[in-house]
């Protein structure tokens, strides 16, 4: 649910990024190769199917210190307010 709430907050506000593969201490833990293939589709579907009006995130993979992280970028929305 955290992804949904932050997506809605970002769309209602100034936008933002969710980074998957970094722990709470800021340490890059990375995601496995299998997760790099699965997570973007799952996150995109959850956000698109649960948020109204629809939010379409930009999702991409970056390599940081030899580890893959998934970036979910949410832009400020034009159809505010966004909600579950």
């Amino acid at each position: 649910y955290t992804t949904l709430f932050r997506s809605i907050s970002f769309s209602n506000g100034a936008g933002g990024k969710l980074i998957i593969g970094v722990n709470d201490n800021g340490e890059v833990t990375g995601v496995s190769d299998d997760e790099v293939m699965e997570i973007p589709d799952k996150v995109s579907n959850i956000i698109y199917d649960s948020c109204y009006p629809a939010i379409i995130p930009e999702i991409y993979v970056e390599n940081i210190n030899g580890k893959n992280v998934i970036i979910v970028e949410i832009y400020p929305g034009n159809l505010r307010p966004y909600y579950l």
Side-chain angles (χ1 to χ4, degrees):
Y1 290 104
T2 300
T3 301
L4 289 174
F5 294 135
R6 289 192 178 161
S7 298
I8 290 170
S9 296
F10 290 156
S11 289
N12 282 328
K17 293 180 184 179
L18 301 169
I19 303 174
I20 301 169
V22 176
N23 68 19
D24 291 339
N25 297 324
E27 176 186 354
V28 177
T29 57
V31 294
S32 71
D33 291 338
D34 291 339
E35 291 174 317
V36 165
M37 300 303 290
E38 296 173 9
I39 290 175
D41 286 338
K42 287 181 180 179
V43 169
S44 180
N45 289 337
I46 289 169
I47 292 171
Y48 184 82
D49 292 343
S50 302
C51 302
Y52 303 98
I55 297 171
I56 302 172
E58 182 176 335
I59 302 175
Y60 50 94
V61 177
E62 285 196 9
N63 189 293
I64 300 175
N65 299 329
K67 297 179 182 178
N68 290 324
V69 296
I70 298 170
I71 313 281
V72 181
E73 191 163 359
I74 308 292
Y75 297 101
N78 294 325
L79 302 172
R80 297 176 187 151
Y82 290 85
Y83 58 94
L84 287 176

